[in-house]
Amino acid sequence: MPLNFELNEDQKMLQESVKEFTERHVAPTVFERDNSKEFPHDLVTQLGEMGMMGIYHDPGFGGSGFDTVSFCLAIEEIARWDASLALTVASHTSLGTGHISIAGSDDQKKKYMPDLCAATRLAGWCLTEPGSGSDASGMKTTAVKNGDHYLLNGSKIFITQGSVADVYVVLAKTDPDLGTKGISAFIVEADWEGVKPGAPMHKLGMNSSNTTEVVFENVEVPVENLLGEEGMGFVDTMKVLDGGRVGIAALSVGVARGALEESLKYSMERKQFGKPIGNFQHIESKLVDMATSVEAARLLTLKAATLKDNGKSYTKEASMAKLFASELSVQASLDAIQIHGGYGYTKEYHVERFLRDAKLLTIGEGTSEIQRLIIARELKKSFI
């Protein structure tokens, strides 16, 4: 595959459009959202009108038809200022809506995707449970077929858009004796009887991203809402997660870039011993390392996105990008706080929020430890 480091005109235009929107509408009120912890319905609506909530999905089902590289560029621009908002866009697009795009029938796509891509309805993806995180095969949620419907029972936790979603994709065991081969996926509407979202969770960061528990009690799911084939839910989930990890990598690049840009600005304004602290060698070294790592993380992310766009296997590359970029976002935020000194520890500056938001990126959609297991597995395949 030839390497191309130049964005095409469509990608450049989209990048500039999202950057302009973010600087005008997102950045000025980010402190307020972090403090209020309120979900930004108005911004999500505007992003839906721009086509960002279905950015790389099929135009035939309401999507905007851009490529994954464009998706990464958009997520980075949003995350530069507001990681919570970027997480909303990424999870809605690549997880909930993404699963329907990957495994749904034409009828299911026609029914659900136009509204999801327009963000007139929001999606939540329900995989994690109180007792099973990294070990998805340990889930307890069940879906028992009963005539023309499945009876869904179980509890999911850490669900992004948990209490604001209109549509959920829910993973459940249809045959508990078959392990991961007994897991199936279902499209569940939030207003159905027995669907019970919890209150927003109190978190370290990502404060205006909606995260809740969702409980399903004897929910009758029509058989036509089985998403994909029965027993193939786990296989499809792995595909969804590969795409989701590319989005988290892009989000991480945005946070790390924010830490770098805020540090550059501050270091040239803040003076000590008669000159800007940015002229001191130890500050320069931090800035250089941050800038180099941000560039490396972006290239890893865009490589994974390009492989996906070209229909190539990208599991290893997605995990590498997610691992490197997410851990960078934490380190870059720590370095930014150090450069800001005491001011960096206050809520008057952006960098302490970057650190609080960044930590989730090393946990969500597969922890760093899980990414290392995946990368190791993929590396060994070439020797088997």
Side-chain angles (χ1 to χ4, degrees):
M1 183 180 68
L3 295 177
N4 184 357
F5 297 102
E6 288 292 327
L7 301 179
N8 63 40
E9 289 305 312
D10 287 342
Q11 292 165 342
K12 289 178 183 177
M13 288 177 62
L14 179 133
Q15 183 183 47
E16 187 58 36
S17 174
V18 178
K19 181 178 181 180
E20 181 182 351
F21 173 84
T22 304
E23 291 179 348
R24 178 179 297 181
H25 299 288
V26 177
T29 52
V30 66
F31 284 120
E32 179 183 327
R33 285 190 300 281
D34 183 54
N35 289 327
S36 71
K37 303 181 182 180
E38 292 182 4
F39 186 79
H41 289 281
D42 55 338
L43 290 175
V44 172
T45 297
Q46 291 178 68
L47 286 166
E49 292 170 351
M50 291 173 63
M52 294 301 102
M53 301 299 285
I55 181 170
Y56 61 65
H57 292 305
D58 187 344
F61 298 109
S64 298
F66 284 92
D67 56 15
T68 313
V69 168
S70 298
F71 168 69
C72 290
L73 297 173
I75 292 297
E76 179 185 331
E77 291 300 331
I78 299 169
R80 159 61 181 94
W81 288 106
D82 190 345
S84 292
L85 181 59
L87 182 61
T88 298
V89 177
S91 62
H92 170 86
T93 304
S94 62
L95 299 183
T97 310
H99 200 139
I100 296 173
S101 176
I102 287 172
S105 66
D106 281 354
D107 286 343
Q108 289 171 336
K109 292 177 184 179
K110 289 175 183 176
K111 181 176 181 179
Y112 291 105
M113 288 193 62
D115 287 343
L116 292 173
C117 289
T120 55
R121 305 176 86 184
L122 293 178
W125 195 61
C126 300
L127 172 65
T128 303
E129 298 186 0
S132 63
S134 298
D135 179 17
S137 65
M139 70 174 59
K140 302 298 183 184
T141 300
T142 60
V144 179
K145 193 171 184 179
N146 182 17
D148 62 354
H149 66 271
Y150 289 84
L151 202 61
L152 180 68
N153 282 282
S155 177
K156 301 292 184 175
I157 201 165
F158 305 128
I159 305 307
T160 311
Q161 285 87 253
S163 64
V164 296
D166 304 283
V167 177
Y168 301 104
V169 172
V170 184
L171 280 299
K173 285 190 172 178
T174 45
D175 191 335
D177 296 329
L178 293 181
T180 58
K181 294 182 180 179
I183 296 174
S184 303
F186 299 89
I187 302 173
V188 178
E189 299 189 22
D191 59 359
W192 288 354
E193 186 175 353
V195 179
K196 300 178 179 180
M201 303 178 77
H202 297 290
K203 301 169 294 183
L204 174 67
M206 297 288 187
N207 281 336
S208 61
S209 169
N210 178 268
T211 310
T212 77
E213 182 180 26
V214 184
V215 176
F216 303 94
E217 293 184 357
N218 293 321
V219 179
E220 294 187 3
V221 182
V223 292
E224 58 264 28
N225 277 46
L226 172 68
L227 182 56
E229 297 179 25
E230 188 171 297
M232 290 295 290
F234 187 79
V235 173
D236 292 334
T237 290
M238 294 301 101
K239 297 175 184 176
V240 171
L241 284 171
D242 280 345
R245 285 163 185 157
V246 176
I248 293 297
L251 204 165
S252 301
V253 172
V255 174
R257 182 184 123 201
L260 169 63
E261 291 178 355
E262 293 299 308
S263 297
L264 277 167
K265 177 183 176 184
Y266 182 83
S267 68
M268 298 313 295
E269 294 174 348
R270 175 70 167 171
K271 292 184 178 180
Q272 293 285 274
F273 307 103
K275 60 180 179 180
I277 63 171
N279 290 343
F280 291 111
Q281 187 174 9
H282 59 285
I283 299 295
E284 287 180 332
S285 294
K286 285 185 182 296
L287 293 171
V288 167
D289 288 347
M290 289 166 71
T292 303
S293 296
V294 167
E295 190 70 17
R298 183 181 293 115
L299 290 172
L300 277 170
T301 301
L302 295 183
K303 179 182 179 181
T306 301
L307 287 170
K308 180 176 183 288
D309 286 334
N310 283 278
K312 306 290 186 182
S313 174
Y314 67 103
T315 296
K316 179 184 68 177
E317 288 77 9
S319 287
M320 284 181 166
K322 198 268 187 186
L323 172 65
F324 184 82
S326 65
E327 296 201 339
L328 167 64
S329 69
V330 174
Q331 187 58 55
S333 299
L334 283 168
D335 287 341
I337 291 172
Q338 195 70 18
I339 290 169
H340 281 70
Y343 291 108
Y345 199 66
T346 72
K347 291 184 178 291
E348 296 178 13
Y349 287 78
H350 294 284
V351 291
E352 66 84 29
R353 186 185 78 255
F354 291 161
L355 178 61
R356 288 188 286 108
D357 290 346
K359 187 54 198 165
L360 175 67
L361 304 174
T362 68
I363 299 171
E365 296 194 40
T367 63
S368 291
E369 290 76 15
I370 290 296
Q371 302 314 310
R372 288 184 169 90
L373 288 175
I374 293 170
I375 295 165
R377 181 194 67 202
E378 294 298 312
L379 288 173
K380 292 173 185 176
K381 282 183 179 179
S382 59
F383 292 96
I384 297 176

